[in-house]
Amino acid sequence: MPRFQTTDKAQNAGWTFRELLHDLRKYWVPIMFVIICALLSCTLYIIVPSLLSSFTDNFIADLTNLNSVGEYTPNYIYANEEGIIVLNTSTFVIRFVLLVGCYLGTALLNWITTMFDIQFTTQYGYDIRKKLKEKLDKVPLKYYDNHITGDILSTVSNDVGNVSQELGEIIRQIISAVMMTVGVLIAMFIESWQLTLVALVTLPICIIIAWLIARQSQKHFQKYQDRLGDIEGCAEEYYSGFSVIKLFNKEEDTAADFDKYNKEMMDADYKSRFYSSLIFPCIRIVNNIGYVFVAVIGGLFGSVGNIVSFIMYLQMFTQPIQNLGELSSIIQQTLASAERVYTLLNEEEESPDPEGAISDPSTIKGALTFDHVDFSYDP
């Protein structure tokens, strides 16, 4: 049986990302719809804190000036001639409908975005499998000699499945994160540039933490995908060659090989999940410290409405970072799978038949001559 070969090469995220972008260009129409829907959804979502800030300040002003007759124009509540507090129903309902409309519009646009994600990712999975089928028909025989069958099957099935299933969610989350971050940052500067500068102190800390942890976990995600291919190769070849293994009394050796790959896969899985799970709690701690500073400084210089809206903006600002932190393990696993897929797609193809090659079977005489032919395996 062929010798098992592992692929513990360094992860090349840049090259893999460029290959993905090249293939995704043909799906630019649904991706543009995703971007437009994400932009509208983020806009509606960002409006909500501003509406709540105005509502809070006006409501507090109404309570403060209940007894100011003729000197203050109430917004939502006022005291009538008998001293009874009365709710201005029309103004209150309009503001309430605006808030509910923003939330419902955001939910609807998110649903539409998900539908477009599903549309182009399923088509991408179909197209990439078709390309792999055509590629496997063109690679030379030495490719099959140097790669175990189970590893090839793992690339075509598991790795393509990982990429096609997670790609849409990753794209949608990244687009939403970028738009939400930019939009909220603009709204925060409009609301209070002093508090914004205080909040931004935590941003580089979060980025550095996520980058350092991701560097450690990515190599283990790549090793996990490689060992998954090795194990599937073991299972396929050991079962298909069961009689040969029994004949040469290799049961213990094959069991030892399988146990080795299984333990390495378990170790890589544990380390990749452990490192990636550190991102979210670390970022959360830093963000909570930022909330404390914003609340203290905002209480000294801002109104209650400003503090309410700014805390909401700060949560919106840190939420994309936290989401990407939670998504980092999926992103790294998807990149590891995509690298294996595009490595196969970029394999050398068999040279085509030269010009003048025999194409009519009736002219073939069946006379074969073996001259200067060697048969060997790579050491």
Side-chain angles (χ1 to χ4, degrees):
M1 290 183 290
R3 178 175 58 90
F4 287 105
Q5 295 186 355
T6 61
T7 54
D8 286 336
K9 57 185 177 184
Q11 192 269 342
N12 192 346
W15 173 80
T16 306
F17 183 69
R18 288 192 297 271
E19 292 291 321
L20 271 172
L21 284 182
H22 182 270
D23 275 355
L24 290 177
R25 288 187 303 177
K26 63 183 296 186
Y27 311 103
W28 68 271
V29 174
I31 291 177
M32 284 302 300
F33 275 105
V34 170
I35 294 175
I36 293 172
C37 291
L39 177 61
L40 295 175
S41 175
C42 292
T43 302
L44 291 177
Y45 198 50
I46 291 171
I47 292 175
V48 172
S50 179
L51 294 175
L52 287 176
S53 174
S54 174
F55 177 82
T56 303
D57 285 339
N58 290 335
F59 197 85
I60 293 175
D62 290 347
L63 290 174
T64 306
N65 296 279
L66 279 176
N67 299 321
S68 301
V69 180
E71 301 175 0
Y72 174 76
T73 303
N75 296 283
Y76 303 109
I77 58 175
Y78 60 93
N80 60 14
E81 297 177 354
E82 299 176 355
I84 301 175
I85 298 177
V86 180
L87 176 66
N88 189 342
T89 308
S90 60
T91 306
F92 182 83
V93 169
I94 291 174
R95 183 56 60 92
F96 180 78
V97 170
L98 284 175
L99 288 172
V100 174
C102 288
Y103 281 119
L104 291 178
T106 301
L108 177 62
L109 289 169
N110 286 336
W111 178 79
I112 295 174
T113 303
T114 303
M115 292 299 101
F116 281 112
D117 278 345
I118 295 173
Q119 176 187 350
F120 84 83
T121 52
T122 51
Q123 184 63 42
Y124 168 82
Y126 171 81
D127 292 340
I128 207 72
R129 286 187 178 92
K130 185 178 179 181
K131 290 174 66 175
L132 285 171
K133 169 63 172 59
E134 295 172 353
K135 186 69 178 184
L136 291 173
D137 290 339
K138 297 178 180 179
V139 293
L141 290 176
K142 67 178 182 180
Y143 177 82
Y144 295 100
D145 288 337
N146 295 330
H147 295 78
I148 58 178
T149 305
D151 190 41
I152 299 174
L153 293 175
S154 178
T155 300
V156 176
S157 58
N158 294 335
D159 291 324
V160 174
N162 286 340
V163 176
S164 61
Q165 290 174 14
E166 305 295 347
L167 186 61
E169 177 70 14
I170 292 172
I171 291 176
R172 181 163 56 88
Q173 288 282 1
I174 292 177
I175 292 175
S176 297
V178 172
M179 292 185 175
M180 182 68 73
T181 302
V182 174
V184 171
L185 189 61
I186 295 173
M188 288 169 64
F189 270 107
I190 295 174
E191 190 75 23
S192 174
W193 65 268
Q194 297 94 336
L195 291 179
T196 303
L197 295 179
V198 174
L200 288 179
V201 173
T202 61
L203 180 61
I205 300 176
C206 294
I207 294 176
I208 292 173
I209 291 174
W211 178 71
L212 290 175
I213 297 176
R215 285 186 60 189
Q216 292 296 321
S217 60
Q218 178 56 46
K219 59 184 180 182
H220 297 294
F221 277 109
Q222 180 65 41
K223 185 176 181 180
Y224 172 82
Q225 292 300 125
D226 291 338
R227 292 300 167 268
L228 178 61
D230 291 334
I231 285 181
E232 292 199 0
C234 284
E236 190 276 332
E237 292 209 353
Y238 290 166
Y239 276 104
S240 62
F242 178 75
S243 58
V244 178
I245 294 173
K246 292 285 291 182
L247 178 63
F248 289 94
N249 196 24
K250 289 291 184 178
E251 293 93 335
E252 294 183 0
D253 293 339
T254 54
D257 288 340
F258 187 88
D259 187 57
K260 171 190 172 184
Y261 291 126
N262 193 23
K263 287 182 179 179
E264 290 180 357
M265 180 179 172
M266 180 189 67
D267 181 67
D269 187 31
Y270 169 78
K271 290 181 179 179
S272 62
R273 292 175 183 271
F274 173 77
Y275 283 119
S276 61
S277 67
L278 293 176
I279 295 178
F280 177 74
C282 291
I283 292 177
R284 187 69 176 177
I285 292 173
V286 176
N287 289 335
N288 287 338
I289 296 174
Y291 291 153
V292 174
F293 282 109
V294 168
V296 172
I297 298 176
L300 296 175
F301 301 103
S303 65
V304 176
N306 291 137
I307 297 175
V308 170
S309 63
F310 204 86
I311 290 297
M312 292 186 67
Y313 280 135
L314 189 58
Q315 290 176 342
M316 292 180 181
F317 182 72
T318 57
Q319 182 181 359
I321 301 175
Q322 294 175 3
N323 289 343
L324 290 179
E326 292 178 329
L327 199 66
S328 63
S329 61
I330 299 177
I331 293 175
Q332 294 175 84
Q333 188 171 9
T334 303
L335 280 175
S337 295
E339 181 180 3
R340 287 164 55 86
V341 171
Y342 286 106
T343 298
L344 173 54
L345 288 174
N346 284 272
E347 286 288 341
E348 177 187 0
E349 296 184 0
E350 189 173 6
S351 302
D353 292 335
E355 295 184 4
I358 299 175
S359 58
D360 185 4
S362 62
T363 61
I364 299 176
K365 299 179 179 179
L368 300 178
T369 301
F370 290 91
D371 190 14
H372 295 88
V373 177
D374 295 324
F375 298 92
S376 64
Y377 289 97
D378 292 333

